Every structure is written in C-alpha cells, then in structure tokens.
Amino acid sequence: MPIGILFADRAEKLKEKQVINMNNRDQAQQLVSQMTLEEKAGLCSGKNFWQLKGVERLGLEPIMVTDGPHGLRKQAGSADHLGLSQSVPATSFPTASASACSFDRDLLRRMGVALGEKCVSENVAVILGPGANIKRSPMCGRNFEYFSEDPYLTGEMAAALIDGVQSQGVGTSLKHYAVNNQEKRRMTSDSVVDERTLREIYLTGFEKAVRQSQPWTVMCSYNKINGTYASDHEELLTRILRDEWGFEGLVVSDWGAVNARVAGVRAGMDLQMPGPDNSSDEAIVEAVRSGDLSETDLDRVAVRITELILKGQAGKDNPVHSDSDHNMLAAEIARQSAVLLKNDKGLLPLNGDERVAVIGQMAQTPRYQGAGSSRINPAYLDNALDALKADGVQVDYAQGYNLSDNAVDEKKIDEACQLAANCDVAIVFAGLPDAYESEGFDRTDLAMPESHDRLIEAVTAVNSKTIVVLQCGAPVVMPWQERVAAILIMYLGGQAGGQATSDLLLGKANPSGKLAETFPQKLEDCPSTPWFGGEGNAVHYREGLYVGYRYFDTAKVKPAFPFGFGLSYTTFDYSDLTVESLGSYKFRVSANITNDGQVAGSEIAQLYVRCKAPAVFRADKALKGFAKVHLEPGETGTVTFELDQRSFAYYNTKAKGWCIEGGDYEILLAQSSDTVRLSETIQLDGDGQEQLLLADYKDLTDYRKPSVPFKVRDAQFEQLLGRTPPDGIRKPGEAYTVNSTLSDIQKTLIGKYLLSQAKKQTAGMIGEDTDPTQALMMEAVLMEMPIRAMKMTGGNVSDRQLEAIVDLANGHVVRGLRKALTKD
Ligand code: BGC
C-alpha cells in the first residue's frame, strides 16, 4: 500500500477521538471542585521545563509537552528551550517554510499523523507547534519555522498539521500568538500595528487554524502587541480567541513569556511554562484571598489545565508506523515541497548518463533544519551526493567552500572549476549556513556567503550547464540568476532531503512546489524594510496590509520570483472557468486543468480575489483558495473551490467586523500571483459600511497608492493607527523595571555580575561539539532577556529576588540588598 494511503487511514480516527475528548471537560470540572485553592493555583505553572504538575491525590499525573514542530525534540538529559542539549532521535521533517510550498493539505495532515505517532511512542501529550506567524520580512531569523507571508495559506497548512497530530490523541500548540515577526528583542519588543492589518494579516492564519482544527493549546508569544504583553492581552486571549473564534483549549505561555501572572489569569493566560514558579502560584492564591482575582477566574483556568492533563493521560492507539516509515514520508514531503525556479532549455531532469560534477559542501553536509528550539536529533540523515551515487549517476565531487568559516577559498573554487570544466553538467549546492538564520537573532541581509556566490559565478564561467540547488530557510538574493541554467530550491528539506533532491534532479519525481513567499530582487524592495526590527522596543508596522505579494503586485514591483511561482517538467493548460453563485456571498468556482506535456506532474492552481474599484484601500489581489491536482500526460482534471463572505470581506474598524463593499470583483485562477490564467468578474451587493471609514481614509494616499520604494509619512501611519506611535526608546534616567533586559542593565554593577554569571552558566552548556550558531543564539537570547525571565533559568527564582535586582540596577542598594537577603 502506498505510504500516503497508510497515513490517511490513520487520520480517519480524528472524529471519533474528538467526541471522546468532549467528556473531559465535565470530568475536569468535577476534579477541580475537589481541589484546594493551593492545588488549583499550583496547576497554573509547570512542574519543570517540560512537564505539567498533576494532583497526585486525585489521580492526575504530570504530562509532558515539548517541541516541535518539524519533528519531536524530547530532551533526554538536561533541559533548555534553545535546542542545546541532546534529544531522543526522531524524524526531522522539512521545516514549515519548505512544507508550505507543497500547498498540500493532505501531506501536512500526514506529517501531523507521523508527529502524533512519535509523541505517542515517547509519551508526549502535546507537541509545541505549528508556528503560524506571518513572514512580514524575509529578514526574520525564524522564518524557516513559519509557513508563509500569506494568512490564508498559513491557516490552511497549520490547520492540516493540527488535524493530523490530534487524530492520534496528541495535542498541538499553535504558536506564537501573536504578531511575533522578528527575533530582535523578541521578549520585549512592542509590535505597533493598526487594527485592520492585525485582523487581515496577522490574526487570520491563527483564526483559520483555531476555527477549523481546534488545537488543544495556543501558545502566547513573548512580545507586546500595541503596548500590552501577549501574556496579559485580554482582547487577544479571551475576546478574540475564545469569544469570537470559539477556542476551547488552553493558552500556554511561550517559555518565559509571562509578564504579570495574576493579570494573565484574568486575561485568559492559563498555563505558565516552564515551571515551577512558586512565587506566581502564591501570588494567585493571595489574589484570590484578597478578592483581587475571583475564584471563578482561577477555576476556569484550573479546569482547562485539568482537561488537558486528562486528554494527555487518555489511552492512545499504538503507532502503526516506524521511524523508517516516517523517513519515507519525510522524503515525500521534501519532494513535494521543492520548487524549481529556473530550467533553461529543459536542462532538467538529467538523463542519468551524464558525467556530473557535484560541487559544494552542502551536497555532503546538508543544511536540512534550523537552529533553536525546533532542532531535531535526526533518526537518519542522508545527503544528495550519496543519493546521486546510489542512483547510478557518474559523479565527481569538489567541496567548493568551507562551511566551518564561510571564507572565500580560491583553491577550492579552482578545484571545483577544473572538475566542472571536464564534466557534462555541474550541480552547485549552496545556500545559507546555520549562522545566517536562526531562532534568537535576525538576518543582516539577504545575501548568501560570498564563498557560495563566488563559487557559482566561477563554475558558470567554465560550464554553461550549471544547476544550483539551494538549501536555505528563507529567500536569498541570487546575483548569478541570469547566468545559471537551472535553480532548484529545497529549502530546509529535513533528514531525507538528499534522496528527494536526487529524485527531482533525475526526473524520478517531477517538481510541483510553489513559493509560499515572494523572492525579492533586493531587500529594499520589501515594504517593511525601513521599519523592520524597530527602534528601541517599538516596531512600527507601517507597511500595514502590504506584506509580500500584496505589496509587489499592488505597487507593480518585479520580484526575482513571485509568490506562488514554481516550474514543472511538464506544462498545464487551464480552461472552462465557471463561477456559480450559491447565494449569501457563497460561490463555487471550478476549472479544468490539462497536462499538455510529456510527463506526469502536479499543478497547484491558485484562486485570488480582486476588488476592482475599492473605496477602502486594498491589495491588488489576495489568495482565497488553492487546489493541487496530479495529472498524467494528456489527462484533464477539474479543480473546485468554495468562496464565502470572508473571501470578499475587509475588516471594518468602525463597524468592528468583516464587511463587504458593493461592486465588481474579479475571480482570478492563477499559476502564481503574477500569472493569471483565467478570470471572471462577478458583481456583489455591499453592506455600505465603508461609508464609516471614508472620512478617515480620504487622506491615506500613501496607502491608497503605495509608492516605489514604499514610503509612508508619519501623519498617515498615525492616522491609520489612530494614535501617536510610541518611539520605544528608553529616556535618560528612566528607571529600570523587571522588563529591562540584561543588555539594558549591562553597565550597572548588578548587570555586570548577572551577565558574567549567565555567561558562565551558558558556557557550561556549550560543549566542544556545539554548533557555533547555537553559541551565537545563546548570546543574543541572553542579552535580550528581560530580568523577569530569569525565572526560566532554574532554581525557582522568586518575585522578591527579581525586585531586588531591579532595585540594585536603579541604585537602591540598601533596599535591594534587604530584599535579596530576605528569605521567602
Ligand atoms: C520558543 C518556542 C518553544 C519554547 C520551548 C521558546 O523559546 O519560542 O517556540 O516552543 O521555547 O522550547
């Protein structure tokens, strides 16, 4: 039986399991009614780094939650949230930036099934993922963990993965909620974003995943959103997430994200991780006793946590697939996710009888996953060089560059050129080494190492049949784009990416992936560039809705490769678009696609909607559906899509809801965001609510007609935002707080001391074989850690100790020392 069918069978259990879980709520309520105040408060923080506390006398056992999301990272020995310590071997799947290019819901669901199975066999109750943050800029160091710049695609992919995992009776944690789009100052930055952009761009993916798949947990992010930490954000955690979207699970903090514990309980932040945090638990007890927090609020949280524990404890079916099945699935996902960006004169696929020069160390030492909390200890690991050899290709290899230092090595380039000159075809493996993108810090530009670019340029000069295979988690600029004959991007293709690469190069598999993000020609073309990262703590989302292709298509900026783009070894014809009205803004759209080439292949058809003459400014078009169809040569298949009210709506900040403008809308069936193949215009009646916005929007000319390069005047951002944006800069003499970072207090005596201690502690965790990127990440995370997050470093640090540090940093030495020396 093909592996896909096997995994699909397994996912069918989903519905059955969800019904069983419904009863956990009643049982949880009963159990909580038997708990003491202290027991209930105690549940609110974890037992340790990865476990929840139970209540032994009531038969509630601790359960384990752990990373995620592209494989299981279950640490065997010491614990950390940055992937430093070793974990049990598990399948490393392609990361989200790769798998999103498959545009394949079923594939993501099957990956979820495999993740769920692994959790069952390792006794893990919840896997921490998927990540559904939007790629606001290709500069975010953690983009490899996120799906797309588009919220519709993000939501669909996340929902499918969640369905798969949860079909195994294992929970997920949809993260990082919300507007967490950079790593710089990730624990304290303030994302300043207007309400419409928040709804239409940054929340929609989360909303879809919650409404469609009910993740067991949602993880709140580290950052602030419009001045309020995510962990205290009642509007996001309760009013939107629960009241509007109907979320039924629990909210868990990102590791160390809790700002104010009691306020968090009130706001809807249920579980603090990691734990234990006796200070926080006690503060909850005191708040209930003093009437500051109602016991009903605490009960609600305790019930949710108890319910999660019950779900986690419930018996599960034994996994039917082995690590080796999962490895095969990882290879399939890698094959379906790779994107063929260029293929001059049909150079690819290779015949298999050419003499091939394989160049570049990544052919042998692949970059297949990213650094940080998602880092997997892979169960197997292959590479393209061995896979090509095993597939019978006549291969010679030259290293080309050193991954260890990334310096240009002329000798290695010469060797590579000599080899390439004597071969029929040269395949250069290049991309982004670990240190160029990682959790914990952002990228500095979009370039690959000079050693890779120079190597490619040199090889193209001696062999006109040069193919580049890219391994990276995010877009890069390609100064050699015009000179190479073919480009295949594998992204971070997971542990079986080598075999997948060989299969694609040899035509055993036909590339079908399409880009889930725009590849710009240069960083300056990305609209968020001037404001990305932010000044001080404030990050102004001035570009508003114009994220990714929404800007490129509206402002007519030519990207290197557009959103949704990807080539195939065959070609597809589109015909017979029909748009059928089902009433109440519902439409069924269908079209025929014919494989008019010579080989079998899959096509991803994309459905965009364009409002022809909007009064409320909009992007040129937005993705509202996609379908993937596999066709034999000469075969025709039908793709169908459903559109609904939301497909045409914009968020009206005055009406506080999703509204529709009357007028003409184009339904565009496209091969990529800039290649529309079929279109039809429909007319919709509106609700007239745009009238409420017109006066405010009249002057927003910078948004109504985005410029190249993109500029937004201060006054216009201010008007869109509805207030003066904070500058986020610390004023001279301003007092330090528990939210000041170690970098903020580094010049104070206590700051110096803490930094030296922290460095000692982390040096102990970094061994000889530690990847230098992990050391870099550690450094960045440490410097940008707020004082309050020291609770995460172990030892049950109390609130009083944190206050002592703040007092000492502010020069209140006596007060600080007194607090430091008082026993809790
Ligand atoms: C990351 C999360 C991760 C958690 C636990 C945090 O630093 O942001 O994505 O799940 O650590 O490792």
Side-chain angles (χ1 to χ4, degrees), residues 423-445:
C423 285
D424 303 319
V425 173
I427 310 177
V428 185
F429 287 77
L432 292 177
D434 254 328
Y436 280 65
E437 52 179 346
S438 167
E439 179 175 346
F441 56 87
D442 292 319
R443 297 169 69 186
T444 47
D445 54 42

Side-chain angles (χ1 to χ4, degrees), residues 50 67 73 80-82 128 142 145 175-176 186 219 222 254-255 373 439:
W50 303 119
D67 290 303
R73 183 173 73 95
D80 69 85
H81 68 307
L82 294 173
L128 303 175
R142 214 173 170 180
E145 260 191 81
K175 66 191 188 182
H176 309 90
R186 71 172 181 161
M219 186 189 290
Y222 286 126
D254 197 346
W255 269 229
S373 59
E439 179 175 346

Side-chain angles (χ1 to χ4, degrees), residues 522-629:
K522 50 186 191 308
L523 179 59
E524 298 71 48
D525 289 344
C526 299
S528 63
T529 299
W531 309 291
F532 181 76
E535 290 272 319
N537 263 338
V539 188
H540 295 178
Y541 282 53
R542 272 202 195 208
E543 70 286 356
L545 306 172
Y546 294 116
V547 176
Y549 70 89
R550 284 173 166 73
Y551 172 72
F552 283 80
D553 287 0
T554 311
K556 303 204 167 32
V557 177
K558 189 139 184 55
F561 300 103
F563 174 86
F565 175 79
L567 301 170
S568 164
Y569 296 152
T570 188
T571 50
F572 299 96
D573 183 50
Y574 283 55
S575 63
D576 308 311
L577 179 70
T578 61
V579 181
E580 180 193 352
S581 171
L582 308 173
S584 323
Y585 298 112
K586 289 204 169 69
F587 293 87
R588 182 173 304 125
V589 180
S590 66
N592 287 337
I593 298 183
T594 303
N595 179 347
D596 56 6
Q598 304 305 312
V599 292
S602 297
E603 170 68 334
I604 296 161
Q606 300 150 46
L607 192 71
Y608 296 86
V609 169
R610 171 186 289 148
C611 178
K612 275 186 109 168
V616 173
F617 70 84
R618 292 203 183 200
D620 172 64
K621 61 173 101 57
L623 185 74
K624 299 297 170 183
F626 56 83
K628 189 171 177 178
V629 57

